[in-house]
Amino acid sequence: MGKHIVILGSGTAGTLTANRLQRTYDERDFRITVVDRDDDHIYQPGLLFVPFGLAQPHHLVRSRPRQLNTAVDYKQARIERVDLDARTVHLADGIRLSYDVLVVATGARLLPEETEGLTGPGWGEKVFTFYDLPGAVGLHHALERFDGGRIVIDVADLPLKCPVAPLEFAFLADWYFQRLGIRDRVELTYATPLDGAFTKPVAAKALGGLLKEKGIELVTEFTLGEVDGPGGRLVSYDEREVPFDLAVVVPLHGGAEYVGRSEGLGDELDFVPVDPHTLQHPDHPEVFAIGDAAGLPASKAGSVAHFEGEVLVHNIGRFLAGQPLDASFDGHANCFVETGFHKALLIDFNYDTEPLPGHFPAAVGLPLLKESHANHLGKLAFEWLYWHSLLPGRELPGIGSAMPEHGKHHTHA
């Protein structure tokens, strides 16, 4: 039997990596083992729609091993730690897996308990998150009962999964309450630790303009320090206060717990540092990380994992063959931003190029940084592509890992 590749995590990144490897190389050259703690693969982009009754929770969950190529070995077990020197993964019940290549793809976990008061009185009653399935379902019931007052959407701190999702929630809330005919009774506030609506000037201007147009208050440089559930207050570290009747909080994020128990694997947030262009660990060349688990300056989003996957799979083959790695990952990210009223805008960017207006993937294509019904349809179509193309490791025609320059207009904010 050939080399052993162990992939920790079977979410978006781990699943597409395993399937791409199986498609790309001869299975006689290596065997693949994927490890995860449960059987539930959740379509995370769908969580945004659950609170508004636009997605049914049971439609978002499928079996993890059923998304994997049948030649891939799936182990359902808790990961205890990785011994990097012995090249061994320790699982619960004393199981050990030795590896020739390790891929860390265990994503990011929510850490609501790290914020004072967030999981205290009011949690699950008037303080929610839609970043996990129980929270999204609870928030759906809370919105059904809500008949007026102030809703605050707050990003506790960076980094976070899908950085545009909190903005999308604000836009959809505006649409939702207009549809119910009570928008005039609802105040919407968006609070962010950033100095604008988004990280890059042109996109921040466009998205900030949309917030203003929709009558959504923007509170910037607000880093959440405490949640007072009974008093209905969010308090920042600089002691500013934002009152609420209903708070929708995106909690702090960190890497998987076992990363912190694995000496030399992760950083202080339990994300795995890797070369931003090759995805290889700086101190352990046989270790790679992909997706939300990777400590990179790229967005933690499904599209990023998709674009990383192409480079990662190539590099695993090169590493095993003793060849120099391909340093071509450019931080490419691509996100549909749902803006309500059956419209969405699209942003496309990488490490060096911020989201710009124009079209994607070329001069004739979907409009960038501009609301359109076509983009909304693109967002809806992505769910089918996710299950049937992205996860199985198939190529999307005309869309490669490198960010396309054609069709973009370089402008000044």
Side-chain angles (χ1 to χ4, degrees):
M1 186 59 87
K3 305 288 189 182
H4 189 201
I5 300 171
V6 173
I7 300 172
L8 302 180
S10 65
T12 307
T15 302
L16 69 84
T17 299
N19 289 336
R20 269 183 176 266
L21 283 165
Q22 207 66 48
R23 282 176 175 278
T24 306
Y25 302 111
D26 189 325
E27 62 187 64
R28 290 170 297 190
D29 294 338
F30 56 74
R31 60 194 174 98
I32 302 170
T33 301
V34 174
V35 182
D36 213 316
R37 63 180 179 230
D38 60 38
D39 186 37
D40 292 343
H41 185 116
I42 297 173
Y43 176 64
Q44 293 187 69
L47 294 174
L48 168 72
F49 297 110
V50 171
F52 303 102
L54 299 172
Q56 297 304 312
H58 60 279
H59 288 159
L60 305 179
V61 185
R62 299 191 184 184
S63 165
R64 289 190 191 277
R66 291 190 65 180
Q67 310 315 312
L68 292 164
N69 185 295
T70 52
V72 174
D73 180 30
Y74 180 75
K75 289 200 182 314
Q76 187 173 319
R78 195 164 69 89
I79 304 162
E80 295 288 355
R81 65 186 177 90
V82 178
D83 184 335
L84 291 166
D85 293 330
R87 296 192 184 186
T88 302
V89 179
H90 293 255
L91 305 179
D93 301 327
I95 301 167
R96 297 183 182 188
L97 296 175
S98 59
Y99 59 82
D100 297 288
V101 170
L102 179 71
V103 178
V104 179
T106 31
R109 65 189 170 109
L110 305 180
L111 302 169
E113 66 283 355
E114 293 292 319
T115 299
E116 187 181 342
L118 180 52
T119 56
W123 180 243
E125 294 169 13
K126 58 179 182 177
V127 181
F128 294 87
T129 186
F130 65 94
Y131 265 56
D132 61 22
L133 199 52
V137 171
L139 188 49
H140 172 59
H141 298 310
L143 287 179
E144 284 186 319
R145 296 190 301 266
F146 197 80
D147 61 1
R150 191 177 198 190
I151 297 179
V152 179
I153 300 101
D154 176 80
V155 175
D157 207 347
L158 306 174
L160 70 153
K161 294 187 282 188
C162 194
V164 298
L167 280 164
E168 292 180 285
F169 188 94
F171 297 143
L172 284 173
D174 168 66
W175 163 81
Y176 177 81
F177 289 114
Q178 286 207 43
R179 196 185 60 168
L180 290 179
I182 61 167
R183 179 65 179 90
D184 58 333
R185 305 210 301 263
V186 179
E187 285 182 72
L188 291 173
T189 298
Y190 183 79
T192 172
L194 297 170
D195 62 3
F198 198 63
T199 47
K200 314 282 187 180
V202 175
K205 188 176 177 184
L207 292 164
L210 270 178
L211 288 172
K212 190 172 182 182
E213 190 182 302
K214 294 172 185 293
I216 301 167
E217 179 192 14
L218 175 62
V219 178
T220 58
E221 298 178 336
F222 187 93
T223 304
L224 185 63
E226 181 192 347
V227 177
D228 173 9
R233 296 179 309 136
L234 300 182
V235 185
S236 67
Y237 278 107
D238 61 7
E239 299 185 344
R240 284 182 293 153
E241 295 184 4
V242 175
F244 67 83
D245 296 296
L246 182 66
V248 180
V249 178
V250 179
L252 290 168
H253 285 36
E257 282 184 271
Y258 76 87
V259 175
R261 296 191 294 266
S262 306
E263 190 179 344
L265 181 59
D267 61 19
E268 66 281 357
L269 296 175
D270 294 336
F271 295 114
V272 177
V274 289
D275 182 283
H277 302 293
T278 66
L279 308 176
Q280 184 182 47
H281 195 285
D283 304 319
H284 299 274
E286 70 284 352
V287 176
F288 297 82
I290 181 173
D292 296 351
L296 290 176
S299 289
K300 293 190 182 301
S303 66
V304 176
H306 173 222
F307 299 135
E308 286 171 336
E310 192 176 312
V311 176
L312 175 65
V313 167
H314 188 209
N315 276 339
I316 289 172
R318 294 183 74 85
F319 171 77
L320 289 173
Q323 298 170 344
L325 300 194
D326 171 9
S328 68
F329 181 63
D330 62 0
H332 187 195
N334 183 285
C335 303
F336 288 103
V337 184
E338 192 70 15
T339 56
F341 302 94
H342 308 294
K343 290 182 180 178
L345 54 79
L346 178 62
I347 56 176
D348 189 69
F349 56 104
N350 66 10
Y351 290 140
D352 302 317
T353 304
E354 66 167 310
L356 293 170
H359 290 84
F360 176 87
V364 176
L366 293 170
L368 291 165
L369 272 182
K370 186 178 176 184
E371 285 187 287
S372 77
H373 184 60
N375 285 334
H376 168 71
L377 295 176
K379 174 112 181 171
L380 298 183
F382 181 73
E383 184 170 358
W384 189 93
L385 287 170
Y386 180 87
W387 295 114
H388 296 95
S389 190
L390 189 141
L391 282 190
R394 296 189 176 98
E395 298 295 331
L396 296 179
I399 301 175
S401 66
M403 187 200 76
E405 285 286 352
H406 296 297
K408 289 191 167 66
H409 309 315
H410 288 263
T411 62
H412 298 287

